[in-house]
Amino acid sequence: MGLTRQYLRYGVAAVFGLIASPKGNVAYVRLRGESGRYVAVPACEHVFLWDTRRGEKVLILQGLKQEVTSLCPSPDGLHLAVGYEDGAVRVFSLLNGEVIVTFNGHKASVTALKYDQLGGRLVSGSKDTDVIVWDIINESGLYRLKGHKDAVTQVLFLREKNLLVTSGKDTLVKWWDLDTQHCFRTLVGHRTEVWGLVLVSEEKRLITGAADSELRVWDITYLQEGKDPGEPESKKSKGSLAGAEETCSIDETLDLHEASEERLLRCSKVGSIMRDGRDRIVTLATDQTGRILACHGTDSILEVFYVLSEDEIHKKMERKMKKARKKARQQLQKEEEEPESSIELSLQEEIQRLVNIKASAKIKSFDLILSPKGELKATLLLQNNTVETYALNPSAQTPQVARVSKITIGGHRSNVRTLAFSSDNIAVLSAAAESVKIWNRQGSCNCLIWPQGVFWRHLLLMTGLFGPSLFHQIRLSVKHTRILQLDEDVLCVRYSPNQKLLAVSLLDCTVKIFHTDTLKFFLSLYGHKLPVLCMDITFDGALIATGSADRNVKIWGLDFGDCHRSLFAHNDSVMYLQFVPKSHLFFTAGKDHKIKQWDADKFQHIQTLEGHHQEVWCLAISPSGDHVVSSSHDKSLRIWERTREPLIVEEEQEMQREAEYEENVAKEEQPVVAGEVQGETGLAGKKTIETIKAAERIMEAIEMYREETAKLKEHEAICTAAGKEVPLPVNPVLQAYGNISPSSYVLEVFKKVKSSEVEESLLVLPFSYIPDLLTLFNEYIQVGTEVELFCRALLFLLRIHFGQITSNQMLVTVIENLKKTTISKVSEAQKHPPAGSVFEAGRVSQMVSQLYSVLPERKYFQQQC
C-alpha cells in the first residue's frame, strides 16, 4: 500500500485594500451616540463601518461567503439589515456586531430593504421579482407578495397607512394593501424601467425615476381624507377620472380607468422635473425629513433638490399674489379682475434645484443626513474604491459645497496587477495604475508611493526581480544591454531561478525557451489552444507550468520540452500561476473568482480557496511558503495563511460534492402548499439545507419518541407480569440531556429550530409524523410551554394539512382537545401576558377561533360532535 502524501490547509488570514464595494449602498448609522459621523458600506461579504471624520474603520460586520448588495439601518439606530447576493437577509446589532436573526426567502440577490416607522417590520425586494415582509420581533416571515415581472428596485412603507409601494424593472409601480395582502393599484405611466421612488410632502407626493432624464411627480389623495360628504360617489369618481385624464399621457389611461375600483387612495401624475443627466437613474433618495431630494445617474454628478413645505408654499403664494395685484393696479385694472385662484406655483417652484455636487469619480450610491443646525451632509460611495463626504447649507441663498472628508488611504483606485512579498515575509507590496502601497500582513498600509513616468516601469521591474525590501535598502538603475527579437507579440516572460533560461509566451499560443547568456533558442512548447497568460518554473529548474486562456494548465519538462500532463484548471482564463518555493506545489488564479492549489508531481488538485467575488488578477507567495496574497477586480487583497491542519484530498473532494448538493437544493422548485391559492401571496421562507436538516432532526426525535413510548409500555407489561419493578434500559441520548422524557426531548429539538425556519421545516415533514406532533403540541400547550411557538406551528400545520386532518377519524379527539387547550391558554396569555413577552395574544386568539370554527363543519367532525 502506497503512502498518502499529507498537505496542509490554507485559510484566509486577512482582507484589506478594500474601502467599499460598489455593488451595495452606503448608509449613515448612529454609533456611539453620534449621527452623521459614521457610515456603513458594503465590503465584499462584510460590512465596514467608517468614521468619516478620522477616516478610520471602527467596526466590521462579518459575513459568510456571499457579497453584500443592500443595507438599511433600523429607525432606532441599534440594528442594521444587510441583504446578500444569495437572497439572505441578516440583521446585525450595531452594539456588538453580532447577527441577531437570519431570513432566507429570496432566490436571487436582495436589491432593496426598508424598515417601517416603528422598526417592527422589514420589507425586502429582490431580483427574483418577489417582495417579502418580515416580522423582526417574532423573527419570522409574514408573507410573500408576487406581482412584479422583473427585478424589484425599491420598496417603501407608508408611515400612517398600512400600505406598501414598490417599483421594478418591469416599468410598474405597485401599491399593496398589507391588511389584505394584495395589490390594489398599479401605475403604468413609465415607458422604461423604474429605478427608484421616494415619498415627499408628508407622503402626499410620489416621485419616480426611470431610465430617462425625467423625474415624474404624482399626487396622492387618500380617499378617507379627501371625500366630500355632500358629493355622490358616482359623480366624484367620474369627475376624478375626467380630471386625471386631462393631465396624464395615453399610456396612463389604462390605469385611470381603474378609478372606479379605487378604495384607498388616488394617484395621478402632476408633472415632471428634468434632470441634468441624460442617462438612467441609479439612486433616488431623500433625507429622513423628506425635505432634501437627491439623485444621480451613471456619471459623477449628484443633483440636489429642495422640497418646499406647506408653510413655505403658502408664503410663496402670498408673495406671488401680492406681485400680481400690484401689477394689475399699475395697468389700471380692477383689483378683482384676476382671481386669486388663478395664481399657482409651478412644480419647479415647489421642488427647487439646490446645487450639483461633482464627485471625483462615478457615483454608485449616496446617503443624506440633515443635522439639527441645518447643515446637509452627503456621503458618496464611488466606483473607484473611495468614500467622499460633502457638506452644504441648503437654506443659504447660494449654497456652497465643501468636501469635508475623503477615505482613500486604505485601498487602490484601480486594479492591482503586481504583488510581491518582502524577503522577511513581513511586508506586502501592491502596485496599481496610479500608486504603489506597502502593507504589513495585518492589512495596514505603511507606505504610499506615487510613481511617475519612467520610474514607474523601473519600480515594477525591481519589485519583480528582487522584492520590495531591497528597494528600500539600495538605489537601483536599469541599463539597456540586449534585445531579443521575436515574430509575435510577447504576453509573459519568466526567468528560471538559476537565471540560465528565459521563457517567453507568444501570441501564437506557444512558449519559447531561450538560453539567457546567448539568447539562443532552446525549446518550443506548443499545445495550448489559446495564448498562454502566465507561467512559472520550479526551484530546481526541472518543470515549467503554463496557464492559458483556454482554461488549462500544462506541466512540461525542461529537459526535453515534453508535456507531462494537461489539467483543466478553471472555468475561465487562468490569469496567474506561481510555484511554492522549494516544492513542486503551485497555485493558480482564474477569472472564475477562484484560487487553486495543485501538485505538479501527482498532477492532482489539492484545494480551492474561495473568497474573491470577481476576477483574480495576480498572486504572490512568501519566500517561506506560509502565506499567499491575491488581488482581484473586487478591489480586495486577501492573505491566505498555511495552517497546521492536515488536508486529505479525498475528504476535500467529498466536501466539494456536499457543497454542490447544497447549491442544487437551494435551486430546487419550492413545494406547493396544500390549500394555498397560487396568486399574489405566498409563504415568506424558502427551502434550504438548514430547513431540511431541521426537519430531519424533528423526524428523528419523533421516531425516538415512538420507540421510547413503546418501550415504556413493554416495561409496564413486564413489571405487571413479574409482580415487581424491573430496571428500565437507559437511552444514552436521553441520558445526555439529563434523563429527560421522550416528549421533553422532542420539545428540546423543536425549540432549537430557528424561528425564521419553523414553517419551512414543518412543510418538509411527511404527514405520517403530524398526528404525533399534534398530540405533543397539545401536551406542551396544556402545561403552558412555549405557547406562542406552538400556536404558530399548530396554525401552520392545520392550514397545510387541513384536508387530511379533517378526514382522519383518529384525530378527532386530538383536535377537540387542542381546540379547548389552545383557546384557554391564549385567553390566559391575553389577560396575563408573561413579563417581557411580545406574544400578540389577541391576534392569535382570533386566528384560532376562525380556524376551529371551520373544523366542526366537516363531515367526520359532524358525526363525532
Side-chain angles (χ1 to χ4, degrees):
M1 181 178 177
L3 295 176
T4 301
R5 182 169 182 179
Q6 190 179 62
Y7 305 99
L8 295 179
R9 185 181 302 277
Y10 282 81
V12 62
V15 179
F16 59 99
L18 181 64
I19 296 174
S21 299
K23 205 164 189 176
N25 61 293
V26 61
Y28 275 105
V29 295
R30 183 177 178 83
L31 200 65
R32 300 172 183 174
E34 292 190 49
S35 298
R37 178 174 178 179
Y38 302 98
V39 294
V41 296
C44 289
E45 68 272 21
H46 307 304
V47 176
F48 290 168
L49 269 66
W50 290 94
D51 183 347
T52 58
R53 189 178 302 171
R54 303 178 63 181
E56 296 178 353
K57 194 186 306 176
V58 295
L59 184 64
I60 299 178
L61 305 181
Q62 298 285 343
L64 298 178
K65 291 183 178 180
Q66 300 296 328
E67 199 168 5
V68 175
T69 57
S70 184
L71 300 177
C72 181
S74 62
D76 57 8
L78 299 178
H79 305 104
L80 181 69
V82 182
Y84 293 87
E85 196 172 22
D86 62 347
V89 177
R90 295 184 180 88
V91 180
F92 289 85
S93 170
L94 293 179
L95 301 178
N96 52 22
E98 299 294 330
V99 178
I100 297 176
V101 61
T102 300
F103 297 120
N104 287 299
H106 291 292
K107 301 176 185 177
S109 65
V110 178
T111 54
L113 287 171
K114 194 67 66 177
Y115 278 94
D116 66 357
Q117 187 178 9
L118 300 178
R121 292 179 301 175
L122 176 71
V123 61
S124 59
S126 169
K127 286 185 177 180
D128 63 5
T129 74
D130 290 344
V131 176
I132 302 180
V133 181
W134 308 95
D135 188 339
I136 299 295
I137 299 175
N138 290 326
E139 299 182 358
S140 62
L142 293 178
Y143 37 80
R144 181 190 302 266
L145 303 176
K146 305 174 184 178
H148 284 285
K149 304 302 181 184
D150 207 334
V152 179
T153 56
Q154 186 59 280
V155 289
L156 290 176
F157 279 109
L158 270 70
R159 296 180 181 177
E160 304 297 332
K161 307 286 183 180
N162 195 24
L163 303 177
L164 180 72
V165 57
T166 62
S167 63
K169 292 174 67 176
D170 55 1
T171 75
L172 302 178
V173 174
K174 288 183 173 288
W175 291 86
W176 305 85
D177 183 359
L178 299 184
D179 290 328
T180 58
Q181 301 164 24
H182 83 286
C183 175
F184 66 91
R185 185 162 182 80
T186 301
L187 302 181
V188 294
H190 303 85
R191 294 182 175 86
T192 56
E193 301 95 337
V194 183
W195 290 97
L197 55 85
V198 293
L199 291 166
V200 297
S201 302
E202 298 179 354
E203 297 186 341
K204 293 181 180 179
R205 265 192 176 156
L206 176 71
I207 301 177
T208 58
D212 50 23
S213 58
E214 184 179 354
L215 294 179
R216 294 167 175 83
V217 183
W218 311 74
D219 265 348
I220 303 172
T221 303
Y222 301 99
L223 299 186
Q224 292 84 348
E225 301 172 356
K227 267 185 186 177
D228 185 359
E231 182 181 2
E233 186 66 29
S234 60
K235 181 178 179 181
K236 182 176 179 64
S237 299
K238 292 179 181 178
S240 63
L241 180 61
E245 286 180 343
E246 293 177 0
T247 59
C248 296
S249 62
I250 297 176
D251 292 337
E252 299 160 36
T253 57
L254 177 63
D255 183 56
L256 292 168
H257 285 296
E258 299 175 358
S260 59
E261 301 178 359
E262 291 176 346
R263 295 180 293 111
L264 299 175
L265 58 82
R266 183 181 300 112
C267 187
S268 58
K269 185 180 176 183
V270 295
S272 299
I273 300 174
M274 302 306 296
R275 300 188 297 117
D276 289 343
R278 298 303 177 187
D279 48 3
R280 75 169 181 89
I281 282 283
V282 176
T283 310
L284 174 65
T286 63
D287 69 325
Q288 291 183 347
T289 65
R291 304 289 302 280
I292 306 297
L293 170 70
C295 62
H296 71 89
T298 57
D299 53 11
S300 59
I301 302 296
L302 179 70
E303 302 179 43
V304 185
F305 300 86
Y306 182 78
V307 182
L308 297 183
S309 64
E310 291 186 358
D311 293 339
E312 291 171 331
I313 292 176
H314 182 68
K315 292 178 181 178
K316 198 160 188 175
M317 286 282 293
E318 288 182 349
R319 291 196 299 267
K320 197 169 185 179
M321 287 188 292
K322 187 176 180 180
K323 289 181 180 179
R325 286 193 295 265
K326 184 178 179 180
K327 185 177 180 181
R329 284 194 299 268
Q330 291 176 354
Q331 295 176 356
L332 300 177
Q333 294 180 353
K334 296 181 180 180
E335 294 184 2
E336 301 297 329
E337 183 174 343
E338 187 173 352
E340 295 182 357
S341 58
S342 63
I343 303 298
E344 295 182 357
L345 290 181
S346 65
L347 193 60
Q348 286 71 21
E349 290 176 318
E350 296 184 21
I351 303 176
Q352 300 176 349
R353 181 181 296 273
L354 269 183
V355 70
N356 287 353
I357 299 177
K358 173 69 174 177
S360 60
K362 289 184 178 180
I363 304 173
K364 301 304 293 185
S365 71
F366 70 92
D367 198 13
L368 305 173
I369 189 169
L370 191 63
S371 67
K373 298 181 180 179
E375 182 188 38
L376 175 67
K377 283 187 177 181
T379 294
L380 314 180
L381 192 159
L382 307 183
Q383 190 178 22
N384 65 346
N385 199 25
T386 305
V387 174
E388 294 181 344
T389 302
Y390 294 84
L392 61 97
N393 183 9
S395 60
Q397 189 70 24
T398 55
Q400 298 296 322
V401 178
R403 190 175 69 190
V404 295
S405 69
K406 185 177 182 180
I407 304 175
T408 59
I409 193 65
H412 289 277
R413 309 285 75 75
S414 57
N415 293 327
V416 173
R417 292 290 187 158
T418 300
L419 289 168
F421 264 99
S422 62
S423 57
D424 55 4
N425 306 289
I426 294 177
V428 176
L429 182 141
S430 61
E434 84 293 339
S435 63
V436 174
K437 294 177 184 286
I438 299 177
W439 319 76
N440 58 27
R441 286 207 312 263
Q442 286 69 39
S444 298
C445 184
N446 298 331
C447 182
L448 174 63
I449 305 170
W450 300 90
Q452 295 180 356
V454 179
F455 174 70
W456 169 238
R457 296 191 295 272
H458 288 184
L459 180 64
L460 287 182
L461 182 60
M462 288 186 290
T463 55
L465 293 177
F466 307 105
S469 60
L470 191 60
F471 164 70
H472 293 292
Q473 296 173 8
I474 59 177
R475 185 173 181 178
L476 302 177
S477 60
V478 180
K479 182 179 180 181
H480 185 192
T481 58
R482 291 182 296 172
I483 296 178
L484 177 61
Q485 190 68 38
L486 297 169
D487 296 334
E488 296 284 344
D489 292 344
V490 177
L491 299 180
C492 180
V493 177
R494 181 70 68 178
Y495 260 122
S496 63
N498 57 14
Q499 299 186 4
K500 291 184 178 180
L501 296 177
L502 177 66
V504 182
S505 166
L506 302 178
L507 193 61
D508 61 359
C509 308
T510 63
V511 175
K512 307 291 186 184
I513 311 295
F514 299 89
H515 292 285
T516 305
D517 51 357
T518 61
L519 295 183
K520 288 185 177 180
F521 173 77
F522 175 47
L523 292 172
S524 178
L525 311 179
Y526 55 91
H528 283 289
K529 297 179 181 178
L530 291 174
V532 174
L533 304 178
C534 54
M535 56 187 172
D536 197 16
I537 302 174
T538 57
F539 73 102
D540 53 6
L543 301 174
I544 180 173
T546 58
S548 168
D550 62 8
R551 305 178 292 178
N552 292 316
V553 168
K554 293 183 183 291
I555 302 172
W556 316 76
L558 275 179
D559 45 3
F560 301 106
D562 55 326
C563 180
H564 292 181
R565 186 65 62 91
S566 180
L567 304 172
F568 182 77
H570 291 268
N571 293 327
D572 208 331
S573 301
V574 183
M575 300 303 299
Y576 207 85
L577 185 151
Q578 186 172 352
F579 278 97
V580 178
K582 300 180 181 179
S583 75
H584 283 190
L585 306 180
F586 65 93
F587 284 89
T588 59
K591 278 190 174 182
D592 59 356
H593 315 169
K594 296 178 181 179
I595 299 171
K596 296 186 178 182
Q597 186 185 18
W598 307 82
D599 189 335
D601 292 331
K602 294 191 173 183
F603 315 119
Q604 68 178 1
H605 172 225
I606 301 174
Q607 66 172 325
T608 300
L609 305 180
E610 296 185 9
H612 286 294
H613 299 279
Q614 295 189 40
E615 298 92 337
V616 184
W617 297 125
C618 64
L619 57 85
I621 304 175
S622 64
S624 63
D626 290 335
H627 298 89
V628 178
V629 60
S630 57
S631 69
S632 168
H633 190 65
D634 61 14
K635 298 295 192 297
S636 69
L637 302 176
R638 295 174 186 260
I639 288 186
W640 314 85
E641 184 177 16
R642 184 161 59 188
T643 64
R644 299 298 100 189
E645 178 186 356
L647 183 148
I648 300 175
V649 176
E650 291 76 11
E651 293 182 357
E652 191 73 12
Q653 294 173 351
E654 181 66 24
M655 292 172 60
Q656 290 181 358
R657 285 192 290 268
E658 291 179 0
E660 292 176 358
Y661 169 73
E662 293 181 4
E663 291 180 0
N664 293 332
V665 168
K667 295 178 182 178
E668 288 180 359
E669 291 288 334
Q670 297 298 307
V672 178
V673 180
E676 181 182 5
V677 180
Q678 300 299 313
E680 291 183 336
T681 61
L683 291 179
K686 71 173 182 180
K687 184 174 70 172
T688 62
I689 193 66
E690 287 79 12
T691 60
I692 294 176
K693 290 179 179 178
E696 290 174 351
R697 289 193 294 267
I698 294 174
M699 289 189 287
E700 291 173 358
I702 294 176
E703 289 173 357
M704 181 180 292
Y705 165 76
R706 291 172 178 173
E707 295 173 0
E708 293 300 316
T709 304
K711 288 180 182 179
L712 286 174
K713 292 181 179 179
E714 292 179 4
H715 179 261
E716 292 176 359
I718 293 173
C719 293
T720 303
K724 61 177 181 179
E725 188 69 24
V726 179
L728 179 66
V730 178
N731 187 308
V733 177
L734 300 180
Q735 188 179 17
Y737 279 83
N739 289 324
I740 61 176
S741 64
S743 61
S744 299
Y745 175 69
V746 178
L747 173 63
E748 292 297 323
V749 171
F750 202 90
K751 286 166 61 177
K752 289 182 180 178
V753 180
K754 294 181 180 179
S755 179
S756 58
E757 299 174 355
V758 170
E759 283 82 1
E760 288 297 327
S761 300
L762 293 175
L763 189 60
V764 180
L765 284 179
F767 182 76
S768 59
Y769 293 91
I770 302 304
D772 295 301
L773 210 53
L774 293 177
T775 304
L776 290 170
F777 283 0
N778 183 49
E779 178 183 336
Y780 301 149
I781 296 174
Q782 194 168 6
V783 297
T785 303
E786 298 288 343
V787 177
E788 177 184 1
L789 172 64
F790 292 113
C791 278
R792 176 178 148 204
L794 174 62
L795 295 176
F796 181 75
L797 289 177
L798 289 175
R799 182 156 65 93
I800 65 175
H801 296 296
F802 185 84
Q804 290 175 288
I805 290 175
T806 54
S807 61
N808 191 337
Q809 296 188 32
M810 303 295 293
L811 294 177
V812 173
T813 306
V814 177
I815 293 298
E816 286 300 313
N817 292 336
L818 273 170
K819 180 178 180 181
K820 298 174 183 177
T821 305
T822 306
I823 293 179
S824 63
K825 288 296 179 181
V826 169
S827 301
E828 180 182 340
Q830 188 176 11
K831 295 177 182 178
H832 307 286
S837 174
V838 295
F839 184 29
E840 300 180 20
R843 177 178 61 85
V844 177
S845 178
Q846 183 181 5
M847 295 173 63
V848 170
S849 301
Q850 291 174 353
L851 275 172
Y852 285 124
S853 65
V854 179
L855 291 176
E857 297 177 2
R858 291 288 179 173
K859 180 176 65 173
Y860 291 105
F861 277 54
Q862 287 177 347
Q863 295 175 359
Q864 296 294 331
C865 298

